[in-house]
Amino acid sequence: MLLFVVSAGVPVVLVLGAVTGWSRSVVGAPVWVAWTVAVLAVLVGFPFAWFSTPLGTRSATNLLLRAYRRDGLEAVEQQYLSKLAPRRAGLQLFNLGLALDRAGDQDGAHVVYRHAADRGSPPAMVKLGDRLTRHGDDDEAQEWYRRAAEAAESS
């Protein structure tokens, strides 16, 4: 919620500052600088605000799901997730796995959960452990549960 407030509030304040002349009178910025900063803040801030909401998060997951169905997992990881930190990419992959689960693609979800777990996502490690337990691979499942507990403690 704080990310949403800051991401949406700062651009609004900068635009209001440019419109009212506040940024010129208080900060001493020329009009063109005030407007340039305001426009850049809007272009960067509003997408951050959108993707910090539940609806925006679902939108990002749906984008990954469409790309996965069109191009495959490797393309999704390379095109969309390669610029993210491993933990964040793991979380996005975990969300993709949940979407595949809901869509009934159990095999695809299993592969995606494994990739997310390899990137350090504790929820994906637990989900992978659950799936392995259901398939009778208790030794590997216990290993994933242990790794999930260690990853959760370290964060």
Side-chain angles (χ1 to χ4, degrees):
M1 184 63 173
L2 178 64
L3 178 62
F4 175 79
V5 170
V6 170
S7 298
V10 169
V12 168
V13 167
L14 290 173
V15 168
L16 288 175
V19 168
T20 62
W22 172 86
S23 52
R24 182 181 170 135
S25 63
V26 174
V27 180
V31 173
W32 70 271
V33 170
W35 276 105
T36 302
V37 170
V39 167
L40 289 174
V42 167
L43 292 176
V44 172
F46 284 171
F48 274 135
W50 165 253
F51 284 113
S52 68
T53 65
L55 187 58
T57 302
R58 282 194 300 274
S59 176
T61 301
N62 286 336
L63 172 74
L64 291 179
L65 183 59
R66 284 192 306 273
Y68 170 81
R69 288 182 174 155
R70 184 184 62 236
D71 301 323
L73 182 59
E74 185 176 312
V76 166
E77 288 182 313
Q78 187 176 44
Q79 186 175 6
Y80 295 101
L81 304 176
S82 62
K83 294 174 182 70
L84 297 177
R87 256 340 248 257
R88 182 71 179 153
L91 178 61
Q92 292 299 325
L93 283 171
F94 174 70
N95 289 335
L96 175 60
L98 291 175
L100 288 169
D101 253 346
R102 282 191 296 269
D105 185 357
Q106 303 302 314
D107 294 334
H110 183 81
V111 170
V112 170
Y113 287 140
R114 186 171 293 279
H115 279 251
D118 287 339
R119 290 188 180 230
S121 171
M125 293 176 190
V126 171
K127 195 73 157 169
L128 183 59
D130 291 344
R131 295 174 79 75
L132 290 168
T133 299
R134 275 184 277 159
H135 291 290
D137 194 352
D138 292 333
D139 292 337
E140 188 179 1
Q142 291 303 316
E143 175 64 21
W144 282 112
Y145 290 138
R146 184 189 60 71
R147 288 176 65 181
E150 289 173 358
E153 286 176 3
S154 69
S155 58

